[in-house]
Amino acid sequence: MDQNGMPVVKFFSGKQIPVELHKVRIVQKLHLKKIDERYTAINEAGYNTFLLNTKDVFLDMLTDSGTNAMSDNQLASMMQADDAYAGSQSFYKMEEALREVFGKHYVLPAHQGRAAENIISQSFIKEGDVIPMNYHFTTTKAHMELNGGTIFEIYTDEALKIKSSVPFKGNIDIEKLKNLIAQYGPDHIPFVRMEASTNLIGGQPFSMQNMREVKAVADQHGIIMVLDASLIGENAYFIKMREPGFSNTPVKDILREMCGLADIVYFSSRKVSSTRGGGICTDNKDLYMKMRDLVPLYEGFLTYGGMSVREIEAMAVGLYETTDDTVISQSPSFIAYAVGELEKLGIPVVTPAGALGCHIDAMGFLPHVPQSEYPAGALAAALFIASGCRGMERGTISSVRDENGNDVLADVELLRLAFPRRVFTLSQTMFLIDRVNWLYQNRNLIGGLRFVEEPPVLRFFLGRLEPVGDWTAKLIKKYKEDFGNSL
Ligand code: F0G
């Protein structure tokens, strides 16, 4: 174990590295194209990494959503799927897995996480309500606001600090929660939401202690608690590694305790169980009945909810694998390695290392690019040009304009480099680190971006941008000087 508690192997030389605790049995050919081709690709994609075609991408670090490697057992289970519109045996296997892993009796399937958010928001939020949470996710916020709610992010002072040694930056500030309840009253608070491994602030977990305290406050006021469990495996893993009293507790028991504190647990299966789909679980029949009838309306019948039966089979297996201490450690160990190496090189990166990916602080990386010129988006485009690796902008481009049409500058400008579970090897990780380092040494060459086409809703998905000035040409010239014909 290293200082973050990650399983690592020590070499005779003393060096410590993460090791792939699986073997590769199915492979996909990758393409590392020449820099001029990478430039053409990002230009055609409007400097938006979402619009790239994977035939041009070397390491696809856009997301871990639907891109985790599936296991042999998951693939095998798909062959046994029971095709039926209603009453499929595959659904009952998945229901059983969810009852065992999350410990909740009632299960509603949904085609993915945001579909679960739609159902929960429509069922519980009314005009004028407020929803306290540790931090929003893009789709969560959009659904809650669509239903007339306003979100309040009541994170602790440490949450948005890039460099930190606080192990649980995803915690809710209990005083802020109490104040919010006193200000708005429990009748206007349909639920408190906690997001495991808080995505947008760098995959940062909350502690069990914090969740217990939030639950106690919510209970005092008769407010229910909703847990976004999309990244619960990693959050449970960090509790095991970082929270006193849990080092000998299996991840599966920690995960059960977390779910036990929530009244409703929902998830994106694209993340938590390495397949597609999503769902909602609860032990409370009244809550279940409030949501149930929306499933056939938006998703599909109650025993498939918009998913294929094959995915449902693989989800059941994937859920058990998520609670395996070795399986769940893989992505965090590679992230911790990458974060550690980047830190040694002086590159500003979110610490402590979290779940999902390694998050580079674009404002620290490119202090000369004003936030209005989207430093995280510019860095994502520059990294693609320099390496063929695609990351995701998580900053101002991912925010929405205010009612006057002005950009709302994001709290943090991050370039997220996702590490889907069991997908990339150590040499690929080293390549990424090398090219990020090269960019950092040449950061003064990188400029900003501006929109040329901007959709009004979730603009980061489909918006198109262009460089401000001719910085891409300068960057490519320097790359060729330094790397010659090397890819
Ligand atoms: N909640 C969290 C915490 C998420 O990270 C996501 C998706 C969702 C809800 C929505 O789930 O995509 O299945 O509809 N996160 C992906 C990402 C998209 O790239 O981080 P979905």
Side-chain angles (χ1 to χ4, degrees), residues 237 240 249-252 321 323-330:
Y237 179 73
K240 181 185 173 87
T249 315
V251 163
K252 74 176 187 356
E321 291 177 352
T323 65
D324 176 303
D325 290 52
T326 301
V327 171
I328 204 64
S329 73
Q330 285 288 280

Side-chain angles (χ1 to χ4, degrees), residues 327-347:
V327 171
I328 204 64
S329 73
Q330 285 288 280
S331 172
S333 342
F334 276 73
I335 294 165
Y337 171 78
V339 166
E341 293 297 304
L342 292 171
E343 257 202 307
K344 277 188 222 157
L345 294 163
I347 295 164

Side-chain angles (χ1 to χ4, degrees), residues 63 112-114 117 137 195 199 228 268 270-271 416:
T63 178
Q112 60 185 83
R114 69 200 69 182
E117 289 170 338
F137 184 69
E195 182 182 308
N199 187 333
D228 180 338
S268 167
R270 301 172 62 83
K271 289 173 123 72
R416 181 181 89 178

Side-chain angles (χ1 to χ4, degrees), residues 189-219:
I189 303 181
F191 54 83
V192 180
R193 171 178 176 274
M194 284 193 93
E195 182 182 308
S197 304
T198 327
N199 187 333
L200 294 190
I201 61 165
Q204 299 294 319
F206 55 73
S207 67
M208 188 73 84
Q209 180 59 25
N210 185 248
M211 193 176 185
R212 287 178 187 148
E213 287 171 19
V214 171
K215 174 69 175 161
V217 174
D219 272 355

